[in-house]
Amino acid sequence: FTLATILIVSTVVVYQQIGFALKQDLGYEKEQLLVLPLEGKLIENYDVFKNRLTQNPDILSVSRSNHNLLGRNSNTGNVSWEGKDPDFTALFEIMRVDYDFLEATGIKLIKGEDFNPSKGADSVQGAIINRRAYELITQDNPDAVSFNMWGEDRNITGVVEDFHFQSFHQNMEPVVILLDKSFATNAFVRLGTGDIQNAIASIKSLSEEINPDFPFQYTFMDERVYHHCGCSDSDRFRSGLLADAGLAFGLCLQDRF
């Protein structure tokens, strides 16, 4: 009876944790966000790939980044600003992106503006930071509009809402987003609510046309998030947990009667 009770309680706790993970607001829109690797000729022909994809009405936006939005990827403590406490240290996550990254991922801009091709050098030399980074930089200097990273001054051109790229249980970390397509190995494709299967078929056809030497691969961002937090195949896993709990409950009744 005691062992069965422990199993039931453990099952309920795990079930609740999975439900919590599935319902979390990550700070970006993980649903209907396709992620595919950029490799082979897709790298050199990315602009053609993007332009042709966005002609499909079922594809809303396309961008690319070196970051996959899952865990630490690249970071630095070499960030300073006017009024910074010399004893204060923090690791700033660095995300290198191309145009339309915020639109494709659904990360919310709360101040300033997104990178824009018409801005030219202003976008290339500027930076978008998240709320946490903005709070750090402006806490002792509310009028701060720039910071220094790796010995180079960067104007703050935009601020985005905080978003999760680590565990839900970890504090939000400061993030710097740079307009830099170097090492951008992840394409992010925002799908509409129309014919998703047709959109995927179009992406596959174009990918195989441009990049025939590599197999077409993709995942949905929500699936990647569930896998990253240990919740892959979550519906099936939760059904299994409920079955185990039912079995344990039956054992309890059998033991008592």
PDB file of all heavy atoms in Angstrom, residues 234-246:
ATOM      1  N   SER A 234       5.030  14.188 -25.240  1.00  0.00           N
ATOM      2  CA  SER A 234       4.440  14.496 -23.946  1.00  0.00           C
ATOM      3  C   SER A 234       3.059  13.892 -23.769  1.00  0.00           C
ATOM      4  O   SER A 234       2.732  13.398 -22.691  1.00  0.00           O
ATOM      5  CB  SER A 234       4.373  16.012 -23.748  1.00  0.00           C
ATOM      6  OG  SER A 234       3.681  16.612 -24.822  1.00  0.00           O
ATOM      7  N   ASP A 235       2.222  13.925 -24.804  1.00  0.00           N
ATOM      8  CA  ASP A 235       0.872  13.391 -24.663  1.00  0.00           C
ATOM      9  C   ASP A 235       0.912  11.890 -24.365  1.00  0.00           C
ATOM     10  O   ASP A 235       0.217  11.401 -23.483  1.00  0.00           O
ATOM     11  CB  ASP A 235       0.058  13.646 -25.933  1.00  0.00           C
ATOM     12  CG  ASP A 235      -0.289  15.116 -26.104  1.00  0.00           C
ATOM     13  OD1 ASP A 235      -0.282  15.834 -25.083  1.00  0.00           O
ATOM     14  OD2 ASP A 235      -0.554  15.536 -27.246  1.00  0.00           O
ATOM     15  N   ARG A 236       1.762  11.175 -25.121  1.00  0.00           N
ATOM     16  CA  ARG A 236       1.884   9.739 -24.914  1.00  0.00           C
ATOM     17  C   ARG A 236       2.483   9.446 -23.549  1.00  0.00           C
ATOM     18  O   ARG A 236       2.055   8.526 -22.841  1.00  0.00           O
ATOM     19  CB  ARG A 236       2.734   9.133 -26.024  1.00  0.00           C
ATOM     20  CG  ARG A 236       2.906   7.637 -25.903  1.00  0.00           C
ATOM     21  CD  ARG A 236       3.506   7.032 -27.162  1.00  0.00           C
ATOM     22  NE  ARG A 236       4.612   7.830 -27.679  1.00  0.00           N
ATOM     23  CZ  ARG A 236       5.257   7.526 -28.795  1.00  0.00           C
ATOM     24  NH1 ARG A 236       4.905   6.490 -29.517  1.00  0.00           N
ATOM     25  NH2 ARG A 236       6.254   8.287 -29.199  1.00  0.00           N
ATOM     26  N   PHE A 237       3.457  10.267 -23.158  1.00  0.00           N
ATOM     27  CA  PHE A 237       4.110  10.059 -21.866  1.00  0.00           C
ATOM     28  C   PHE A 237       3.126  10.288 -20.722  1.00  0.00           C
ATOM     29  O   PHE A 237       3.072   9.533 -19.759  1.00  0.00           O
ATOM     30  CB  PHE A 237       5.307  10.995 -21.743  1.00  0.00           C
ATOM     31  CG  PHE A 237       6.101  10.808 -20.476  1.00  0.00           C
ATOM     32  CD1 PHE A 237       6.575   9.549 -20.108  1.00  0.00           C
ATOM     33  CD2 PHE A 237       6.369  11.886 -19.653  1.00  0.00           C
ATOM     34  CE1 PHE A 237       7.315   9.372 -18.957  1.00  0.00           C
ATOM     35  CE2 PHE A 237       7.102  11.706 -18.493  1.00  0.00           C
ATOM     36  CZ  PHE A 237       7.574  10.455 -18.140  1.00  0.00           C
ATOM     37  N   ARG A 238       2.323  11.361 -20.845  1.00  0.00           N
ATOM     38  CA  ARG A 238       1.353  11.645 -19.794  1.00  0.00           C
ATOM     39  C   ARG A 238       0.280  10.567 -19.731  1.00  0.00           C
ATOM     40  O   ARG A 238      -0.195  10.216 -18.661  1.00  0.00           O
ATOM     41  CB  ARG A 238       0.726  13.028 -20.014  1.00  0.00           C
ATOM     42  CG  ARG A 238       1.702  14.158 -19.715  1.00  0.00           C
ATOM     43  CD  ARG A 238       1.010  15.477 -19.565  1.00  0.00           C
ATOM     44  NE  ARG A 238       0.463  15.941 -20.825  1.00  0.00           N
ATOM     45  CZ  ARG A 238      -0.268  17.040 -20.950  1.00  0.00           C
ATOM     46  NH1 ARG A 238      -0.563  17.757 -19.875  1.00  0.00           N
ATOM     47  NH2 ARG A 238      -0.714  17.424 -22.126  1.00  0.00           N
ATOM     48  N   SER A 239      -0.104  10.017 -20.880  1.00  0.00           N
ATOM     49  CA  SER A 239      -1.069   8.916 -20.892  1.00  0.00           C
ATOM     50  C   SER A 239      -0.490   7.709 -20.157  1.00  0.00           C
ATOM     51  O   SER A 239      -1.190   7.022 -19.412  1.00  0.00           O
ATOM     52  CB  SER A 239      -1.430   8.532 -22.326  1.00  0.00           C
ATOM     53  OG  SER A 239      -2.068   9.603 -22.994  1.00  0.00           O
ATOM     54  N   GLY A 240       0.809   7.471 -20.368  1.00  0.00           N
ATOM     55  CA  GLY A 240       1.476   6.375 -19.674  1.00  0.00           C
ATOM     56  C   GLY A 240       1.498   6.589 -18.170  1.00  0.00           C
ATOM     57  O   GLY A 240       1.305   5.665 -17.383  1.00  0.00           O
ATOM     58  N   LEU A 241       1.729   7.858 -17.769  1.00  0.00           N
ATOM     59  CA  LEU A 241       1.734   8.162 -16.345  1.00  0.00           C
ATOM     60  C   LEU A 241       0.373   7.897 -15.721  1.00  0.00           C
ATOM     61  O   LEU A 241       0.261   7.359 -14.620  1.00  0.00           O
ATOM     62  CB  LEU A 241       2.122   9.630 -16.120  1.00  0.00           C
ATOM     63  CG  LEU A 241       3.588   9.991 -16.336  1.00  0.00           C
ATOM     64  CD1 LEU A 241       3.776  11.499 -16.155  1.00  0.00           C
ATOM     65  CD2 LEU A 241       4.489   9.229 -15.375  1.00  0.00           C
ATOM     66  N   LEU A 242      -0.674   8.308 -16.438  1.00  0.00           N
ATOM     67  CA  LEU A 242      -2.020   8.090 -15.920  1.00  0.00           C
ATOM     68  C   LEU A 242      -2.314   6.595 -15.802  1.00  0.00           C
ATOM     69  O   LEU A 242      -2.960   6.144 -14.846  1.00  0.00           O
ATOM     70  CB  LEU A 242      -3.053   8.761 -16.825  1.00  0.00           C
ATOM     71  CG  LEU A 242      -3.049  10.294 -16.802  1.00  0.00           C
ATOM     72  CD1 LEU A 242      -4.061  10.839 -17.807  1.00  0.00           C
ATOM     73  CD2 LEU A 242      -3.363  10.815 -15.404  1.00  0.00           C
ATOM     74  N   ALA A 243      -1.848   5.826 -16.785  1.00  0.00           N
ATOM     75  CA  ALA A 243      -2.046   4.377 -16.721  1.00  0.00           C
ATOM     76  C   ALA A 243      -1.333   3.786 -15.514  1.00  0.00           C
ATOM     77  O   ALA A 243      -1.877   2.924 -14.802  1.00  0.00           O
ATOM     78  CB  ALA A 243      -1.549   3.731 -18.009  1.00  0.00           C
ATOM     79  N   ASP A 244      -0.096   4.245 -15.258  1.00  0.00           N
ATOM     80  CA  ASP A 244       0.648   3.769 -14.096  1.00  0.00           C
ATOM     81  C   ASP A 244      -0.058   4.138 -12.798  1.00  0.00           C
ATOM     82  O   ASP A 244      -0.109   3.345 -11.848  1.00  0.00           O
ATOM     83  CB  ASP A 244       2.065   4.356 -14.093  1.00  0.00           C
ATOM     84  CG  ASP A 244       2.924   3.785 -15.210  1.00  0.00           C
ATOM     85  OD1 ASP A 244       2.556   2.715 -15.743  1.00  0.00           O
ATOM     86  OD2 ASP A 244       3.950   4.412 -15.548  1.00  0.00           O
ATOM     87  N   ALA A 245      -0.590   5.372 -12.771  1.00  0.00           N
ATOM     88  CA  ALA A 245      -1.304   5.815 -11.575  1.00  0.00           C
ATOM     89  C   ALA A 245      -2.550   4.967 -11.353  1.00  0.00           C
ATOM     90  O   ALA A 245      -2.887   4.612 -10.218  1.00  0.00           O
ATOM     91  CB  ALA A 245      -1.677   7.287 -11.701  1.00  0.00           C
ATOM     92  N   GLY A 246      -3.237   4.652 -12.450  1.00  0.00           N
ATOM     93  CA  GLY A 246      -4.426   3.808 -12.333  1.00  0.00           C
ATOM     94  C   GLY A 246      -4.084   2.433 -11.808  1.00  0.00           C
ATOM     95  O   GLY A 246      -4.798   1.858 -10.963  1.00  0.00           O
TER      96      GLY A 246
END
